[in-house]
């Protein structure tokens, strides 16, 4: 259900009226003397802790049956998102069928940061992947009480939250129901006014020299697909941004088979590509004034008699040859094709890619921070700023020429892994860099953050895919 957006006025009837406690203050909550006393007590209970909630039963004294207060705590780039998530989860737990959130009144600048956080926190937290369950999660409807002048901000924020949810929904699909063809049909379903979608299938991939994609895909009966989405919201002559995302619908490792434990999680190896679907959808919904191309190489990496092998030498889209040393390092092969294709066909302003590329990224940065690697310092600075705004944390890793030596092969132009375990995330990025000639490029390794892998993820990231990076790129594109 879309969020109902209303102007704050005389109190409307609601099962649950929610308000934020900032410091020890609540803005706009009008009650009587008795409830006022209870509110003061609740504020004490919350004690300024971000996300701590307290419920007050109004016993029919006002139009709201209950009041839910939530602490905002120290104001950060994430505090309203976290508080809104906690209050929404509490509302669902209480069992109401609808609740209203009062947006605190502040100046325009603060509101423009706070309102998106509140909408994102509320909507993202209540998402549940229950398509495959008979009994669905009950989800209460949300009403947002916000001044007229900020209602457009709220509506735009909802489009962003919806794009994240769309991304998660595709990313959470099981690998038996989500093959490269499924990714292609979902992309096609996005093609409406403003979005063009084309698909390159196996025979043509082979003919046109996408050697990385055909090699990785040849072990599965689910054939590889290259999805190309074009959203032209800018002027005709304006150079586009190219967005690339890895969509391995299932990564067994291939002949270099992965160990069995947790292999089910490799359905999330398509998360980078799913991000691109969500971002392009949001760009069209928000009518962003940029030309944006989404490229999604999608394959399934399976072992079998037709699989590619360690020792194979393949030719990538840009003409360079690659020696395969491990068939589990498949992401860089399909991405190298997609990156080179994107650069050649579109001469973009910049290329941005997302991939669950390396286990080494989790070793280095864990599950809260994505790795960022670039050939352009300015791009990194910009993304650092936007990541501050969206609270999707990134950390830059270096990529100088010394690392490029680590992927030199004795028998081909490059090899698909570095030496041993050293700098695994960087050597993977080095491989990607070698596929790009001169375009500013930035790569995000989202292996640790693309789905919930820790017992206590952020409250707005329910179990499963997170959509990490979708809000980041939308914020970046809006700012260009
Ligand atoms: N999809 C994996 C990376 C991954 C592993 C993401 C775990 C999230 C969680 C990728 O294709 C892969 O297997 N990479 C190898 C590369 C190695 C063989 C050089 C890895 O990280 O072990
Ligand atoms: Zn792999
Ligand atoms: Zn993979």
């Amino acid at each position: 259900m879309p969020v109902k957006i209303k102007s704050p006025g005389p109190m409307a009837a609601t099962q649950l009226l929610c308000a934020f406690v900032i410091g020890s203050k609540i803005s706009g909550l009008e009650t009587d003397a008795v409830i006022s006393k209870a509110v003061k007590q609740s504020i004490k209970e919350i004690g300024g802790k971000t996300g701590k909630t307290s419920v007050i039963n109004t016993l029919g004294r006002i139009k709201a049956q209950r009041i839910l207060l939530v602490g905002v705590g120290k104001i950060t780039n994430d505090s309203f998102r976290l508080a809104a998530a906690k209050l929404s989860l509490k509302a669902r737990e209480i069992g109401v069928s609808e609740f209203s959130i009062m947006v605190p009144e502040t100046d325009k600048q603060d509101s423009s940061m706070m309102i998106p956080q509140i909408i994102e926190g509320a909507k993202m937290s209540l998402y549940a992947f229950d398509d495959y369950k008979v009994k669905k999660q009950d989800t209460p409807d949300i009403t947002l009480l916000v001044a007229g002048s900020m209602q457009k901000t709220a509506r735009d924020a909802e489009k962003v939250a919806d794009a994240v949810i769309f991304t998660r929904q595709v990313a959470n699909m099981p690998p038996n129901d989500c093959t490269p063809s499924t990714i292609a049909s979902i992309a096609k379903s996005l093609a409406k006014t403003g979005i063009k979608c084309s698909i390159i299938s196996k025979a043509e991939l082979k003919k046109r020299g996408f050697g990385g994609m055909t090699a990785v895909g040849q072990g599965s009966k689910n054939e590889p697909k290259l999805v190309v989405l074009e959203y032209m919201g800018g002027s005709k002559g304006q150079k586009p941004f190219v967005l690339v995302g890895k969509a391995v619908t299932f990564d067994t490792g291939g002949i270099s088979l992965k160990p069995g434990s947790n292999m089910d999680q490799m359905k999330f190896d398509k998360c980078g590509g799913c991000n691109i679907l969500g971002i392009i959808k949001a760009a069209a919904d928000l009518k962003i004034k940029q030309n944006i191309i989404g490229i999604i190489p999608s394959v399934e990496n399976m072992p079998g008699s037709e699989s590619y092998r360690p020792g194979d030498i393949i030719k990538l889209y840009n003409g360079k040859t690659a020696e395969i040393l491990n068939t589990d390092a498949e992401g860089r092969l399909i991405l190298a094709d997609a990156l080179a294709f994107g650069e050649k066909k579109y001469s973009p302003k910049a290329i941005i890619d997302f991939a669950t590329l390396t286990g080494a990224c989790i070793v280095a940065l864990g599950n809260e921070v994505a790795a960022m690697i670039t050939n352009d310092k300015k791009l990194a600075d910009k993304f650092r700023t936007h990541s501050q705004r969206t609270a999707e944390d990134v950390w830059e890793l270096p990529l100088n020429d010394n690392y490029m030596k680590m992927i030199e092969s004795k028998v081909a132009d490059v090899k698909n892994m570095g030496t041993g375990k050293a700098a695994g995330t960087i050597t993977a990025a080095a491989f990607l860099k070698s596929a790009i000639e001169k375009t500013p490029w930035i790569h995000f390794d989202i292996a640790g953050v693309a789905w919930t892998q820790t017992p206590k993820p952020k409250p707005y990231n329910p179990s499963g895919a997170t959509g990490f990076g979708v809000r980041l790129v939308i914020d970046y594109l809006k700012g260009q």
Side-chain angles (χ1 to χ4, degrees), residues 246 248 251-254 256 258 266 269 301 308 326-331 356-357:
K246 169 180 174 181
V248 176
D251 182 11
T252 65
S256 315
K258 284 184 182 295
M266 282 300 117
D269 213 19
N301 188 19
Y308 79 132
N326 190 315
T327 62
D328 196 12
E330 83 296 340
T356 47
L357 201 59

Side-chain angles (χ1 to χ4, degrees), residues 274-290:
C274 297
N275 275 5
I276 310 306
L277 293 173
I279 295 163
I280 297 277
K281 175 181 154 45
D285 288 349
L286 291 163
K287 302 195 168 59
I288 292 179
K289 288 193 173 57
Q290 293 291 345

Side-chain angles (χ1 to χ4, degrees), residues 292-400:
I292 307 164
I293 311 296
I295 304 178
I296 307 171
S298 187
V299 298
E300 185 177 43
N301 188 19
M302 292 290 255
S305 67
E306 305 203 11
S307 299
Y308 79 132
R309 331 155 183 74
D312 282 1
I313 297 176
I314 64 170
K315 190 181 236 175
L316 301 169
Y317 185 80
N318 64 357
K320 285 190 187 172
T321 55
E323 179 190 12
I324 307 306
L325 289 177
N326 190 315
T327 62
D328 196 12
E330 83 296 340
R332 63 198 75 184
L333 301 171
I334 66 170
L335 287 168
D337 278 354
L339 293 166
F341 168 73
E343 180 176 39
K344 187 162 172 237
K345 171 143 190 208
Y346 295 100
S347 311
K349 224 182 289 190
I351 305 178
I352 302 156
D353 85 69
F354 281 90
T356 47
L357 201 59
T358 63
C361 185
I362 309 175
V363 177
L365 298 175
N367 300 103
E368 301 273 354
V369 183
M372 171 170 90
I373 295 176
T374 183
N375 63 7
D376 184 284
K377 288 280 163 245
K378 276 195 229 123
L379 213 42
D381 289 339
K382 279 196 179 157
F383 271 98
R384 254 189 292 273
T385 306
H386 290 283
S387 115
Q388 274 290 314
R389 289 164 50 88
T390 65
E392 293 163 290
D393 290 344
V394 298
W395 195 259
E396 189 179 5
L397 297 180
L399 177 51
N400 58 37

Side-chain angles (χ1 to χ4, degrees), residues 198-211 213-214 223-226 228 317 337 341 345:
S198 51
I199 310 292
I200 307 179
S201 293
K202 186 179 176 182
E204 209 186 333
L205 286 170
K206 207 166 188 175
K207 203 167 83 194
R208 290 170 65 176
F210 290 87
M213 284 191 70
T214 43
E223 297 181 352
K225 302 278 176 194
L226 182 70
V228 183
Y317 185 80
D337 278 354
F341 168 73
K345 171 143 190 208

Side-chain angles (χ1 to χ4, degrees), residues 165-312:
I165 288 168
F166 178 77
T167 296
R168 289 176 178 176
Q169 186 68 8
V170 182
N172 281 328
M173 284 178 78
N176 55 331
D177 277 351
C178 187
T179 64
S181 304
T182 317
I183 295 286
S185 26
I186 293 169
K188 272 193 230 149
S189 76
L190 278 183
K192 49 167 193 192
T193 357
I195 300 176
K196 221 181 101 196
C197 175
S198 51
I199 310 292
I200 307 179
S201 293
K202 186 179 176 182
E204 209 186 333
L205 286 170
K206 207 166 188 175
K207 203 167 83 194
R208 290 170 65 176
F210 290 87
M213 284 191 70
T214 43
V216 178
Q218 74 198 30
S220 172
K221 79 172 176 29
N222 299 314
E223 297 181 352
K225 302 278 176 194
L226 182 70
V227 173
V228 183
L229 288 159
E230 299 181 351
Y231 164 74
M232 297 303 209
S235 55
K236 264 229 169 99
Q238 207 174 317
K239 281 188 170 185
F241 290 96
V242 161
L243 314 177
V244 177
K246 169 180 174 181
V248 176
T249 58
F250 195 67
D251 182 11
T252 65
I255 296 299
S256 315
L257 192 65
K258 284 184 182 295
S261 69
N262 294 330
M263 202 203 271
D264 59 294
Q265 298 197 352
M266 282 300 117
K267 73 166 186 174
F268 293 117
D269 213 19
K270 59 183 179 299
C271 284
C274 297
N275 275 5
I276 310 306
L277 293 173
I279 295 163
I280 297 277
K281 175 181 154 45
D285 288 349
L286 291 163
K287 302 195 168 59
I288 292 179
K289 288 193 173 57
Q290 293 291 345
N291 296 330
I292 307 164
I293 311 296
I295 304 178
I296 307 171
S298 187
V299 298
E300 185 177 43
N301 188 19
M302 292 290 255
S305 67
E306 305 203 11
S307 299
Y308 79 132
R309 331 155 183 74
D312 282 1

Side-chain angles (χ1 to χ4, degrees), residues 3-6 101 103 115 118-119 142-146 154:
V3 173
K4 287 198 192 84
I5 296 174
K6 289 190 185 157
I101 306 176
V103 172
I115 292 167
I118 293 173
I119 297 241
I142 308 168
T143 301
L144 194 77
L145 303 170
V146 57

